Amino acid sequence: MGTLAKVAGGVLAITFLTFVAFFGRLPALRHTPIAWLHRAIWVHIPNGVLALDRVLTGGRIISSGGAFGHYVWYGRHPTVLIFYILLLSVGEFLYLPGAWPRMSRSHQVAGAVAVVLPYVFLYLAAFGDPGVITPETHARYMSLYPYDFTIFHPGQECRTCRLLKPPRSKHCAVCKRCVARLDHHCVFINNCVGYGNQHWFLLLLLSTAVLTTYGGALGLGLVAETARTRSSLFSLWKHPKQPWHHYFVLLTYGIQADVGVGSVTLLAVMTSPLVWGLLGYHVYLIYCGTTTNESMKWQDWQAEMDDGFAFRRRLPIPRKRHPRFEAAWTRWPVEPAQMLVRTEDGQPPTDTAPPGEGPWERVWHLRDVENIYDIGFRDNLVDILVPGYSFRAEQPQSQSDLERGKGKRPKKSKR
């Protein structure tokens, strides 16, 4: 039982720390113990070690380690991608020899599909074009979405790429390039997740989650089957008449009878919630019509609103586009009906020039601001899964269609 407890504890600790490392900075987890632990691990403890190193070596050790750590986490290299592939392949190498002969034909077919699909989607996500913006593709990406005049404004130029930033795009500091509808840079695929490959990334998460869940459930069944050779009373849900110490002895026997199957089963059971959680978070972002990058910007706006420094006013519909900074037409069914600005002194802006019109109104809550990129969960999902899908004809039918997207607007904000 001691060895089993150590293995389970180590896997659980690694899983939890991975969760904290990747999710601790999310806006939804601010002011929670996860965020505090993330800050302790990545800010307070390193600062303490840095102060000690300055006293002992003048900061040389931390300087060298920091450069290496920055390269590992923020450099574009395949280290984590290779680790992920090894995690899958080595786990399957340990698991399948003991499990495959004991599986039924239907489980063998389903298992083969579950094993192959993550590799397929990993290849497509890692080596596909995430939506890199170049002079040749710039016009296309400018026509995908309109500027919302809230978190994306026309006329802004990328200082590195020297191109106008299309709506919803961002320059990736790791890849050193602008990407259309950039969600984030993923170290597990060594690539950005953007307009061109986000659907493959979601399918990668889904297939990996299914694989770990299926492998864990199948492995637990095989462990229980082995344990029942010693006691017919054993089941994964402890029998009321069975003492706890007897239950754990049999469970340990079932795991150690085939270490490959048992250890990989434990790993799959403990990591599966992490993968499902990541997938669930991205589905939630799709439901809200936003991205990881944009969710950070919305939280920045909420901070401005809390301070009373955010103001809005309406935009005319239809609105004359600036031919130099905006596409003449976009495939998106909704046009912005307002613009949002911040001031330094908390007083309404004195600027009354276009594109806005009418008086400025102070904004206190995100729910009072329309997110034009949220057109309902179904259409948001279509936008992700079917790149290039056009939500409207070349010419809108009416002013109402422009403003409300032909009835596809949700009734209220979900932020």
Side-chain angles (χ1 to χ4, degrees):
M1 185 61 192
T3 302
L4 175 63
K6 290 178 181 179
V7 172
V11 172
L12 186 61
I14 293 173
T15 302
F16 177 72
L17 291 176
T18 302
F19 177 84
V20 171
F22 282 95
F23 293 96
R25 291 182 64 249
L26 295 179
L29 295 178
R30 286 183 182 178
H31 310 299
T32 67
I34 297 297
W36 301 333
L37 183 59
H38 181 277
R39 189 166 180 81
I41 294 174
W42 296 103
V43 178
H44 299 306
I45 294 178
N47 286 343
V49 175
L50 178 61
L52 182 63
D53 181 52
R54 285 173 178 169
V55 173
L56 298 179
T57 69
R60 289 189 295 272
I61 295 178
I62 295 298
S63 178
S64 301
F68 176 75
H70 187 274
Y71 171 75
V72 169
W73 283 103
Y74 301 106
R76 191 163 190 254
H77 55 83
T79 305
V80 182
L81 172 61
I82 293 172
F83 169 77
Y84 176 63
I85 295 175
L86 288 176
L87 190 64
L88 285 177
S89 57
V90 172
E92 291 155 3
F93 177 78
L94 295 174
Y95 183 92
L96 289 176
W100 190 264
R102 302 166 64 183
M103 296 165 58
S104 66
R105 178 58 60 87
S106 60
H107 277 299
Q108 289 178 345
V109 173
V113 174
V115 166
V116 170
L117 284 182
Y119 293 101
V120 174
F121 295 134
L122 175 62
Y123 173 80
L124 293 171
F127 297 100
D129 179 15
V132 178
I133 300 170
T134 64
E136 292 74 25
T137 62
H138 186 263
R140 176 197 171 201
Y141 291 126
M142 286 289 290
S143 67
L144 294 181
Y145 306 97
Y147 291 99
D148 65 350
F149 287 83
T150 299
I151 56 179
F152 299 104
H153 294 266
Q156 296 181 347
E157 183 182 89
C158 175
R159 294 189 296 269
T160 303
C161 299
R162 311 304 299 176
L163 293 170
L164 286 175
K165 293 182 179 180
R168 309 192 77 179
S169 68
K170 187 179 186 299
H171 185 85
C172 176
V174 179
C175 295
K176 307 296 189 295
R177 55 192 185 181
C178 283
V179 177
R181 202 189 61 212
L182 176 68
D183 188 276
H184 69 288
H185 181 90
C186 180
V187 295
F188 283 96
I189 65 173
N190 192 35
N191 199 2
C192 290
V193 177
Y195 181 81
N197 68 342
Q198 189 174 4
H199 54 305
W200 300 128
F201 176 75
L202 290 174
L203 291 172
L204 170 63
L205 291 179
L206 177 60
S207 60
T208 304
V210 169
L211 175 64
T212 55
T213 304
Y214 181 67
L218 184 63
L220 288 175
L222 297 177
V223 168
E225 181 181 296
T226 302
R228 277 195 292 271
T229 61
R230 292 298 183 93
S231 173
S232 59
L233 195 63
F234 180 86
S235 66
L236 292 175
W237 296 103
K238 190 184 80 67
H239 195 280
K241 295 182 179 180
Q242 188 177 43
W244 277 106
H245 73 277
H246 190 207
Y247 172 81
F248 282 117
V249 167
L250 291 172
L251 179 63
T252 303
Y253 170 75
I255 292 175
Q256 294 182 344
D258 190 324
V259 177
V261 173
S263 59
V264 175
T265 296
L266 284 178
L267 180 64
V269 169
M270 293 182 180
T271 56
S272 184
L274 179 65
V275 184
W276 281 111
L278 184 58
L279 176 62
Y281 172 70
H282 280 278
V283 171
Y284 173 74
L285 290 179
I286 296 173
Y287 172 74
C288 294
T290 188
T291 65
T292 302
N293 172 54
E294 292 167 9
S295 68
M296 303 288 186
K297 296 179 182 292
W298 284 116
Q299 289 300 316
D300 291 341
W301 267 119
Q302 183 60 70
E304 296 289 344
M305 294 174 188
D306 292 340
D307 294 334
F309 291 169
F311 296 86
R312 69 174 181 179
R313 68 172 175 172
R314 67 177 181 271
L315 288 173
I317 300 292
R319 177 181 60 84
K320 185 177 180 181
R321 300 171 185 265
H322 196 297
R324 181 179 176 185
F325 302 126
E326 298 180 79
W329 174 89
T330 67
R331 67 188 180 96
W332 205 241
V334 182
E335 292 292 329
Q338 62 189 5
M339 66 182 301
L340 198 65
V341 299
R342 60 172 61 89
T343 61
E344 298 294 334
D345 56 3
Q347 298 300 315
T350 57
D351 183 18
T352 58
E357 62 182 15
W360 290 98
E361 174 187 358
R362 196 185 303 271
V363 184
W364 294 102
H365 304 286
L366 284 178
R367 63 175 176 266
D368 298 326
V369 180
E370 184 182 32
N371 176 16
I372 68 169
Y373 305 126
D374 177 15
I375 54 176
F377 179 65
R378 186 192 65 179
D379 288 330
N380 292 346
L381 193 61
V382 169
D383 183 42
I384 299 294
L385 298 180
V386 189
Y389 181 84
S390 182
F391 291 93
R392 68 179 184 186
E394 288 291 333
Q395 295 296 328
Q397 296 177 358
S398 67
Q399 176 174 328
S400 176
D401 290 341
L402 273 174
E403 186 172 0
R404 291 298 164 197
K406 300 181 183 178
K408 294 180 180 178
R409 298 296 301 143
K411 292 183 179 180
K412 60 181 180 180
S413 172
K414 297 184 282 290
R415 291 188 306 278

